[in-house]
Amino acid sequence: MAEVIALIDYGAGNLRSVANALKAAGAEGVQVTADPNVVRAADRIVLPGVGAFKACADALRGVPHLVDAMEERVLIGAAPFLGICVGMQLLASRGVEHGVTLGLDWIAGEVRAIEVTDPAIKVPHMGWNDVAPLGHDDGSQLLRGGEAYFLHSYHFVPEDGARIAAMTDHGGGLVAAVARDNILGVQFHPEKSQAYGLELLARFLDWRP
């Protein structure tokens, strides 16, 4: 029987692109869902996200019992979890876009605006850029060096540097991925990163943390 991959639908992600990429990477049981019961029974969970931190956090919490189900399955049940773009940022304790908004607080830290001092460096950080893994334990084992597609104006600053799984550079270092235990979050978009992204998703589908 194919594993069930719950692709969380809370109105804030490019779900079709992510679902198609997961299928291209070998997933057979992708379920786009906001049903807490499906999430509680899922083998793996993927949380996409596009837009502002506050809007995404509010939308996620606006689905009754969804966050509780995610916490039960991921933090207690240890299901492998992948957060993408704002889905990665929501792992933080808080975001400061449009005021302070609480995140999931699965990885302590803050999501802040990208600050640059060189006028040649544009925000948002958009386009292809290097991903440089740091080789910590946990989900960083899924990452490889290469180029991925980024699109963001805010970045995740973890409190514990050991949670940084990869970095990129855009007028200075930016966190490209975070990880702990069975949780991996990537700032870039695997579904837009061609072969590099599909290979990452394939490794996620085989991951046994």
Side-chain angles (χ1 to χ4, degrees):
M1 178 180 291
E3 286 192 338
V4 173
I5 295 91
L7 179 56
I8 304 297
D9 180 6
Y10 61 111
N14 43 343
L15 295 168
R16 180 176 296 180
S17 294
V18 177
N20 288 340
L22 285 165
K23 292 172 185 176
E28 297 178 0
V30 178
Q31 292 194 24
V32 177
T33 184
D35 185 338
N37 293 323
V38 172
V39 172
R40 287 188 179 97
D43 296 290
R44 299 172 190 275
I45 295 174
V46 178
L47 180 69
V50 174
F53 185 99
K54 176 175 172 52
C56 289
D58 290 348
L60 187 62
R61 290 196 171 94
V63 181
H65 311 298
L66 181 56
V67 170
D68 290 340
M70 289 169 53
E71 290 181 341
E72 288 174 25
R73 190 68 193 99
V74 177
L75 301 184
I76 299 172
F81 174 94
L82 175 64
I84 296 172
C85 196
V86 181
M88 170 264 219
Q89 295 180 358
L90 289 173
L91 296 171
S93 307
R94 61 196 163 272
V96 297
E97 184 175 6
H98 307 306
V100 176
T101 302
L102 296 180
L104 293 170
D105 198 25
W106 293 3
I107 295 179
E110 184 172 272
V111 176
R112 306 171 186 164
I114 297 173
E115 296 182 5
V116 294
T117 56
D118 183 348
I121 302 298
K122 303 301 183 184
V123 176
H125 172 210
M126 180 172 63
W128 292 85
N129 209 339
D130 290 337
V131 176
L134 297 185
H136 297 308
D137 293 334
D138 308 323
S140 60
Q141 65 187 282
L142 301 181
L143 298 167
R144 303 288 186 272
E147 284 196 332
Y149 187 87
F150 290 81
L151 176 56
H152 62 118
S153 299
Y154 283 72
H155 66 121
F156 190 166
V157 182
E159 291 182 7
D160 183 355
R163 298 302 179 205
I164 301 174
M167 294 291 292
T168 191
D169 183 86
H170 186 68
L174 296 175
V175 172
V178 295
R180 61 161 279 208
D181 306 322
N182 54 306
I183 297 167
L184 174 66
V186 295
Q187 182 62 69
F188 55 86
H189 288 273
E191 76 280 8
K192 296 181 179 179
S193 298
Q194 300 179 6
Y196 180 86
L198 293 181
E199 289 165 5
L200 169 63
L201 293 176
R203 287 191 293 272
F204 171 72
L205 294 172
D206 289 336
W207 191 27
R208 299 286 187 271

